[in-house]
Amino acid sequence: MAEDALFSIFMDGLFINNFLLIQFLGLCSFVGVTKDVKSATGMSGAVVFVMAMASTVSYLLYTYILVPTKMEFLDLISFIVVIAALVQLVEFVVRKQIPSLYRSLGIYLPLITTNCAVLGAVLLNESSGYNFAQSVVFGTSAGLGYTIVMLMMAGIRERSTFVNIPSSIRGLPQAFFIATMLSLAFVNYFWVIPI
């Protein structure tokens, strides 16, 4: 029974309530970083790591520090601090280990701190009343769902450079059109499949 619940939570974060296409969270990096697959891959990896770790650390912080001391009202601020610390860790590692990726991500890597998808995952874990395992599964699956959509979008945008597109539609309008089509596909396909 517990495995069924975890699988359901995993599919929910991955496809059914996808943060980018269904809940429209994290769109700044979605539009900004998906110009090429390499940048989208690096950003997605960083977001998966931060979402999974933020879900883990925030659950422990909320359950074992904020609730026992009756300071639940500090949840939002404490979650933001946790996310900011994790992003600093990721930024440090990427800058030292993969400098080319660090340069290609530019301003978008520090913006994970304010990425509403990461904070949304943590807040949804809390509001859904998930236990530790469920929080980790949801955070990880939400990050993987983010990755799937980022890579799909980057692939489509890269391939569309070979297509003759009117100049008035190139760039941001084209990105929003592609995002609309992907969102319609996700809504129509994944909402009809019962889990």
Side-chain angles (χ1 to χ4, degrees):
M1 184 68 176
E3 293 83 19
D4 292 342
L6 289 178
F7 180 73
S8 178
I9 290 170
F10 183 80
M11 293 303 287
D12 185 53
L14 194 63
F15 295 118
I16 297 167
N17 284 319
N18 186 281
F19 276 37
L20 289 172
L21 296 179
I22 306 299
Q23 296 186 17
F24 304 113
L25 296 173
L27 292 180
C28 58
S29 60
F30 178 59
V31 173
V33 181
T34 55
K35 292 176 184 163
D36 64 280
V37 174
K38 183 179 179 190
S39 296
T41 303
M43 181 67 159
S44 298
V47 168
V48 169
F49 176 78
V50 171
M51 271 192 186
M53 292 306 297
S55 295
T56 303
V57 174
S58 297
Y59 175 83
L60 297 172
L61 176 72
Y62 184 78
T63 304
Y64 296 112
I65 295 175
L66 296 180
V67 171
T69 58
K70 301 198 183 327
M71 294 194 301
E72 296 96 342
F73 60 91
L74 292 175
D75 62 349
L76 184 62
I77 292 170
S78 61
F79 295 161
I80 290 171
V81 169
V82 164
I83 292 167
L86 289 169
V87 168
Q88 288 302 309
L89 174 69
V90 167
E91 185 175 7
F92 176 74
V93 169
V94 169
R95 184 176 14 173
K96 293 293 182 190
Q97 300 298 322
I98 317 168
S100 62
L101 178 61
Y102 179 75
R103 284 189 300 278
S104 72
L105 290 177
I107 190 67
Y108 292 104
L109 186 58
L111 282 179
I112 296 175
T113 303
T114 58
N115 190 330
C116 52
V118 177
L119 184 60
V122 172
L123 291 174
L124 282 172
N125 282 337
E126 178 195 342
S127 67
S128 299
Y130 289 155
N131 62 29
F132 180 74
Q134 292 170 331
S135 294
V136 173
V137 166
F138 183 75
T140 304
S141 68
L144 291 173
Y146 180 94
T147 300
I148 289 170
V149 174
M150 288 284 283
L151 294 178
M152 287 170 57
M153 179 72 156
I156 292 170
R157 287 184 77 180
E158 266 191 5
R159 294 288 301 245
S160 68
T161 59
F162 301 114
V163 178
N164 188 14
I165 297 172
S167 61
S168 60
I169 298 176
R170 283 190 206 121
L172 196 58
Q174 177 187 6
F176 281 122
F177 180 74
I178 295 167
T180 301
M181 296 297 111
L182 286 172
S183 183
L184 287 171
F186 264 61
V187 167
N188 289 325
Y189 183 72
F190 291 111
W191 278 14
V192 295
I193 298 174
I195 294 183

